[in-house]
Amino acid sequence: MSDGIVAVVSGTTAPERVLFEAARRADDSGATVHVLYVLGLEWYASAELWLAERLRIPTGTDTIRAICERKADRLTAPALERYEAAGRIGHPIDEIVEYATEVEADTVVVDGDLQSGTGAWRRVSDPLEAFRERELSVVPVY
């Protein structure tokens, strides 16, 4: 893997802390910051239903994924000058690991409070196991 850094801005109440740590690490290593917003499946179902009811049109996964990407971009733009934003739908840990692999990142920066936000971490007995299996360094930010 290269020196890419994935900053996960979903599931946190303070994305700026995650972004600043990712930016600091990127400045030190010359890495690219990839900002990821993951919408869990239960939240996806709620968003799909809400948008379909409000807009009266079927939205589909591509629309929701684009919304997630725009949210990642909106959260990041005030904090960083250079970054790549992405949105994903699925089981958060699996999506984070898959995205980090796709962009050849070796570090993932996440909110250290694994019980916060969308509760993505609560459904896994050892949330860091998936990261260890892929030899990804995880940096929790508190």
Side-chain angles (χ1 to χ4, degrees):
M1 295 216 175
S2 71
D3 291 325
I5 297 172
V6 174
V8 181
V9 294
S10 52
T12 179
T13 55
E16 63 280 350
R17 291 188 313 221
V18 172
L19 293 169
F20 289 142
E21 179 60 24
R24 187 187 69 74
R25 288 176 176 273
D27 284 345
D28 290 347
S29 67
T32 301
V33 176
H34 301 271
V35 181
L36 179 62
Y37 190 97
V38 180
L39 188 65
L41 292 175
E42 67 279 0
W43 290 95
Y44 164 71
S46 296
E48 179 79 19
L49 181 63
W50 184 83
L51 288 171
E53 286 178 354
R54 298 276 188 218
L55 301 176
R56 303 215 188 279
I57 57 169
T59 56
T61 58
D62 290 338
T63 301
I64 302 295
R65 190 175 291 115
I67 290 169
C68 291
E69 186 171 326
R70 283 195 304 270
K71 188 161 187 169
D73 188 47
R74 190 172 58 247
L75 290 168
T76 308
L80 302 179
E81 288 181 17
R82 292 185 348 229
Y83 61 91
E84 294 186 24
R88 292 290 186 96
I89 301 167
H91 185 273
I93 293 174
D94 294 341
E95 294 298 327
I96 294 166
V97 170
E98 183 179 312
Y99 181 70
T101 302
E102 283 178 17
V103 298
E104 298 182 342
D106 58 3
T107 303
V108 176
V109 181
V110 297
D111 189 323
D113 179 8
L114 299 180
Q115 301 300 317
S116 73
T118 61
W121 311 107
R122 281 184 251 163
R123 289 179 284 287
V124 179
S125 59
D126 182 2
L128 301 179
E129 184 178 342
F131 298 113
R132 285 189 208 109
E133 287 175 0
R134 293 287 177 101
E135 298 180 4
L136 289 169
S137 173
V138 178
V139 178
V141 178
Y142 297 94

